[in-house]
Amino acid sequence: MLDQALTRLDEAARHLELDADVLEKLKYPRETTKVRLLIRMDDGSRKSFMAWRCRYDDTRGPTKGGIRFHPDSTDEEVETLAFWMTFKCAVMNLPYGGGKGAVRVDPHTLSKSELERLSRAYIQAFSKIIGPDRDIPAPDVYTNSMIMGWMADEYASIVGESTPAVITGKPIALGGSLGRDDATARGGFYLVRHLAEKLGLAPGGRVAIQGFGNAGQHIARLLASDGYKIVAVSDSGGAISCPSGLDLERLFAAKRTGSVTSLAGSNGVTALPGDEIVSVECDLLVPAALEDMIHAENAASVRARVVLELANGPVTPEADAILARKGVVVLPDILANAGGVTVSYFEWVQNRQGYYWPVEDVHARLKTAMEREGEAIWEMAAKHATTLRSAAYVHALSRLAQAIEAHGTQQFFAS
Ligand code: NAD
């Protein structure tokens, strides 16, 4: 997985004249710490869970990245996600490097008390690695604002003082930022709106969404409010479609109590095998679940003209090449889902200022940032005659290179 991610770095490096130091620094994670967390379960037994924190690169500032609770998490997944965060923060010009964390667990099998103990155990294990000027976690797959609140509280009791800037994505009442809950989807939404004409998209267009959690549900609501029609969605239970448009309120209600698939069989809604969401007839396909969902075997079946990557790494490099040949435009993850980390940055700034902004300010600043970087990447893709993904990597890499080279290059030291 990391090797695949590094192919994007090599490809971007071909468009720039870089000092050798830059690639030597960015080819490897700076540090990955692996710990076995041991917690007391409700039945009195002890159970252990593998956990990681990776700080991939901190040249541009403290490392930043979410914590994932997932039964399939591995060292390599965490390092790859941290690599992507390094580039995402550089794409958005945030003063951060990239990091990531994970616990190998299916959180659905834990009671609420076990989940709290596990979240606090994570901070006990990693309290020396994280910190508001060192490494700042946030939510990711199967973690949420309540978990971030527990984690911030645990950190405060370890260091002996309230330190809200140590973690972002907290509940509003505990120092979270207004507008963080839908920031990932909203950033993607502002990007689509800004580039709609160039992409050949317009309200009334049909949308299919893979994954119906935080990112998937908010993008459905935002696009529908602009007049787009949500014709198919999926979650881990399977997929459903309705060519005339799904009823969002019913979808949200179904998701609150289980899977979206419970709506199949009435009101013109039909069930599909989960994988078939990628080949639904639509204008915009939004992967908002996990990595590698569009791959060499199914990329040719994509019928959308635009893919908005709200998930991290949903399209493999082989699938990228197939989509490019078909003329499908991919709005790449390190830009398309960067609204989440951008508003996390706003949260960190507000925590440090001790002054909290109205939601309108958060939205306005996010919109400006998405449009500014989206436009720059669009122009860079035209200039280098390349995909938006390559352009986004070139854009990020040039910022990372400036920071790395500012410490002196081989040429500087050897002369
Ligand atoms: P979430 O836990 O809220 O939701 C994940 C959704 O994916 C759930 O609906 C789940 O049922 C679904 N899912 C799981 N396996 C699936 C499968 N095989 N097929 C279809 N659906 C499946 O997570 P989230 O926060 O919405 O994150 C989703 C993606 O967005 C991840 O790749 C994450 O890294 C990325 N992301 C999230 C944020 C954020 O702020 N939440 C920021 C940047 C990127």
Side-chain angles (χ1 to χ4, degrees):
M1 205 179 159
L2 185 57
D3 287 346
Q4 278 198 357
L6 288 169
T7 61
R8 320 270 205 207
L9 171 61
D10 292 338
E11 150 71 12
R14 280 200 282 277
H15 295 278
L16 295 168
E17 275 182 32
L18 295 175
D19 189 88
D21 287 8
V22 175
L23 291 183
E24 185 61 19
K25 188 137 200 244
L26 294 176
K27 259 188 324 194
Y28 310 102
R30 185 192 161 105
E31 64 181 52
T32 307
T33 311
K34 185 173 175 176
V35 172
R36 194 163 268 286
L37 307 179
L38 195 61
I39 63 159
R40 181 78 60 196
M41 306 300 280
D42 291 347
D43 67 2
S45 66
R46 281 228 201 224
K47 200 161 174 192
S48 69
F49 300 88
M50 194 54 81
W52 297 263
R53 189 74 197 163
C54 170
R55 297 175 69 241
Y56 195 94
D57 182 77
D58 63 351
T59 316
R60 299 185 80 257
T63 46
K64 182 93 190 78
I67 301 171
R68 176 175 291 199
F69 284 180
H70 198 277
D72 301 331
S73 284
T74 61
D75 316 36
E76 209 185 339
E77 180 194 59
V78 175
E79 289 179 344
T80 307
L81 288 160
F83 168 86
W84 285 329
M85 284 305 297
T86 306
F87 279 77
K88 197 182 298 183
C89 292
V91 157
M92 298 308 290
N93 211 11
L94 306 178
Y96 291 140
K100 203 79 183 188
V103 180
R104 188 185 295 151
V105 61
D106 179 355
H108 305 107
T109 62
L110 301 181
S111 72
K112 289 174 183 153
S113 308
E114 289 165 348
L115 189 62
E116 181 182 3
R117 285 196 286 276
L118 185 67
S119 305
R120 289 183 182 276
Y122 187 91
I123 296 302
Q124 286 154 20
F126 293 106
S127 64
K128 296 241 162 16
I129 287 168
I130 64 169
D133 289 307
R134 196 167 195 282
D135 180 34
I136 307 138
D140 192 69
V141 173
Y142 298 153
T143 51
N144 56 27
S145 59
M146 181 174 262
I147 293 176
M148 298 305 113
W150 291 331
M151 289 182 164
D153 183 57
E154 190 63 30
Y155 187 81
S157 30
I158 292 168
V159 300
E161 57 190 38
S162 165
T163 317
V166 70
I167 201 156
T168 59
K170 299 178 296 293
I172 305 293
L174 297 175
S177 175
L178 293 171
R180 177 62 184 87
D181 53 348
D182 71 355
T184 301
R186 186 173 286 276
F189 170 67
Y190 287 146
L191 185 69
V192 165
R193 242 196 197 170
H194 184 67
L195 298 175
E197 213 176 299
K198 293 172 175 149
L199 295 168
L201 292 174
R206 297 153 305 164
V207 181
I209 302 173
Q210 178 183 53
F212 209 58
N214 174 294
Q217 291 186 38
H218 284 301
I219 196 70
R221 182 179 49 77
L222 288 163
L223 287 171
S225 72
D226 241 13
Y228 285 85
K229 204 159 57 172
I230 314 303
V231 294
V233 302
S234 72
D235 61 19
S236 54
I240 53 171
S241 79
C242 178
S244 61
L246 289 156
D247 180 327
L248 286 196
E249 290 316 315
R250 281 169 188 266
L251 273 175
F252 295 143
K255 195 61 197 164
R256 274 195 293 277
T257 51
S259 167
V260 293
T261 53
S262 63
L263 297 185
S266 60
N267 301 304
V269 179
T270 48
L272 301 174
D275 305 351
E276 286 188 18
I277 188 90
V278 303
S279 42
V280 163
E281 173 115 34
C282 62
D283 302 293
L284 177 65
L285 172 64
V286 186
L290 295 170
E291 301 82 53
D292 296 345
M293 303 296 269
I294 304 178
H295 43 75
E297 279 71 47
N298 66 5
S301 70
V302 169
R303 289 201 265 173
R305 78 174 71 154
V306 179
V307 175
L308 173 70
E309 291 188 332
L310 288 190
N312 283 308
V315 177
T316 66
E318 297 80 23
D320 245 349
I322 298 169
L323 294 179
R325 278 201 297 279
K326 281 167 63 84
V328 178
V329 178
V330 178
L331 298 168
D333 50 4
I334 57 169
L335 169 67
N337 70 29
V341 69
T342 303
V343 177
S344 272
Y345 165 59
F346 297 162
E347 181 175 333
W348 180 80
V349 170
Q350 292 171 76
N351 290 154
R352 305 188 76 149
Q353 287 179 327
Y355 176 75
Y356 290 84
W357 311 344
V359 73
E360 294 76 16
D361 286 16
V362 173
H363 289 171
R365 286 174 199 259
L366 174 63
K367 183 166 178 288
T368 303
M370 294 306 303
E371 292 181 357
R372 181 188 64 223
E373 304 305 336
E375 195 63 40
I377 289 167
W378 188 274
E379 280 168 21
M380 188 162 295
K383 179 174 149 202
H384 291 284
T386 184
T387 61
L388 292 172
R389 184 178 326 274
S390 292
Y393 273 89
V394 173
H395 188 53
L397 184 56
S398 59
R399 283 182 175 149
L400 281 157
Q402 273 178 30
I404 293 169
E405 290 171 4
H407 288 301
T409 59
Q410 185 184 15
Q411 203 185 8
F412 169 80
F413 285 104
S415 63

